[in-house]
Amino acid sequence: MKEKLRASLIDSLNTKKPLIGVATGSGFSAKQAVAGGADFLLVLNAGLFRNAGVSTLGSLLPFANSNEMVLKTGYREILPHAGETPVIYGVCATDPTIDPQALIDKIKATGFCGVNNFPTVGLIDGTMRIALEEEGFGFAKEVEFLAKASQQGLFTIGFVFNEEQARAMAAAQVDVVCAHFGWTIGGGTGIKSGITIPEAVQLATRIFQAAQDVNPDCLHMVYGGPIVYPEQARTFYRETSAVGVIGGSTFERIPTEESIKGVIGQFKHGDGLSAENRYLKQELLKKMRFDEIVGQSRAMQEIYEIVRKVANKNVNVLVQGESGTGKELIVRSIHYNSDRYKHAFVRVNCASLPDSLLESELFGHEKGSFTGATQQRIGRFELAHQGTLFLDEIGEMSLATQAKVLRAIQHQEFERVGGTKTIKVDTRILCATNVDLYKAVQEGKFREDLYYRLNVIAIQTIPLRELKEDIPLMVNHFLKKINEKFACDIGGLTPAAFDALLAYDWPGNVRELEHVLERASILCNGSRIEWKDLPAPIREASLPTVGDTRGTSHVESQWVSRSVESFEKELIEQTLQKLDWNRTRTAETLGFTRRTLFNKMKKYNITPIPK
């Protein structure tokens, strides 16, 4: 039991997927957690209180015997919905009325795969904690119980609050040392303040190092405190040795609170916003303009910081990066976060206009200045007076037009085509290009003096292949827009579809991701985008390559263009035929249980071939 679960978790880590443990308090939540791809479930008495609408603090109060509550709920609700997902029993090891061996026997007989220490005395401090320790009902009892459970083949997760506890749990040979940061922050019944992410990262680093020094084989995970959103968990994956996160309120209470309030609010007040309120809301979003830039990775945070610093500084900014990486969104965010946001934001695509028209577009022209100039025209420099002029794809501008633009930028003045009057303007210049302008300068294709005039502040956008940790946030953002645009009701993606998005390299960057999601949302049959709804290049990116030792490399090349289900069905049929339809040996060969093999044979309508 213990070794099988540990091997399964290691396999998940080998595919670069973090481990996710969900502490659930009801069968419904357990079912959804399994569908979402949880690696294991935990039954904690705190979850029982959450589902009763009571703060998880209630788990420390003597309403009833914690071990009996957890055993009963786990047996009646969680285990029936867990399927093959392992379920961990949250033991109150400090209960003085229990016989540890009898409880371990009961836990194993009921069907639990492991145990963890919860509720834990680590959640109690002050005089009460001192008294518990003095009377022998403290943390040492938890360590003793988990050590005994581990010796008898149960998977063990030790929640710890400091380095000393981490060393004790590691010495007890627990499988996972989990840094517990206290009650989850946020939500209607959560605490309102507590340890910050940077503080938690430092604490986790010390805890994991202490555990590593004693037992290098134990896995490291984090729980509670400030971890509410995926990007916060990813901070621990990057900066500590954590390989996953365990959550209760994070996965169960907070999403449920927000969802229920939001749906009821839509029913109650869906048409209650006045036109004025809608206008004010739109203006607020437009003012900030960070709503369209999605990403919480460190690279994106650095870009946000640059935008904040330069927004109100009247300097020229050059945004460079590949097509589809959101250069225009960054330029717009600079404008709408500056003092110029009340004035015009004027965009010119330098690549879309021939050189003969671009000059007129930028500076305007007088009536009769050339054939077809039947009236005076105001140029974009003039239209952007006191606002911002965005020169998109400036790398495509000719050298002749560059010289005139340089003068307009240097002196904030110009003449219209065919005119003699000098026009003064106060216009801020923001530019974007997917061309390497420095290289263009070296090749004589771009003026060096204009380059340095534009490149006062440079911002380099990041290609999506280097921002894969932000893909889940982007998916949620785009699906919300797509649902509104096409009147869809797409609730998300299946785990297999998400894996495919993360495996693909996205040459078209964020723009390509948005278009792929639009296509899949329109074509999918249900409320979740499946792997088969994605374009072929993205599906193929998620399939193992020939020679990959983790896959079935001897047949992969034949199946690259087929669906995963088609491949799985034929693989099962071939293995059954090879082993003379011996289901036990077939299940062992494929790494299934007999029940899983039976269910898949039923799903694919696989029946023995008559001899």
Side-chain angles (χ1 to χ4, degrees), residues 74 124 128 154 167 171 230 383 534 573 611:
I124 303 172
M128 179 64 74
L154 285 170
R167 282 188 284 269
L383 289 172
L534 300 173
E573 288 177 333
K611 294 184 179 180

Side-chain angles (χ1 to χ4, degrees), residues 4 84 583-584 586-588 590-600:
K4 184 177 180 181
E84 295 185 9
R583 297 184 184 182
T584 299
T586 299
E588 290 174 354
L590 297 176
F592 299 154
T593 63
R594 274 181 57 86
R595 177 178 291 182
T596 298
L597 177 61
F598 176 79
N599 289 338
K600 289 183 180 294

Side-chain angles (χ1 to χ4, degrees), residues 16-74:
K16 298 183 179 180
K17 296 177 185 176
L19 303 182
I20 303 298
V22 179
T24 181
S26 72
F28 176 80
S29 298
K31 189 174 182 180
Q32 306 313 313
V34 170
D39 293 287
F40 55 87
L41 305 178
L42 301 91
V43 189
L44 312 181
N45 71 337
L48 313 184
F49 284 93
R50 283 197 303 270
N51 277 275
V54 179
S55 167
T56 48
L57 280 166
S59 64
L60 297 181
L61 300 178
F63 289 112
N65 184 280
S66 174
N67 288 312
E68 292 178 2
M69 291 170 60
V70 171
L71 201 67
K72 186 181 297 183
T73 301

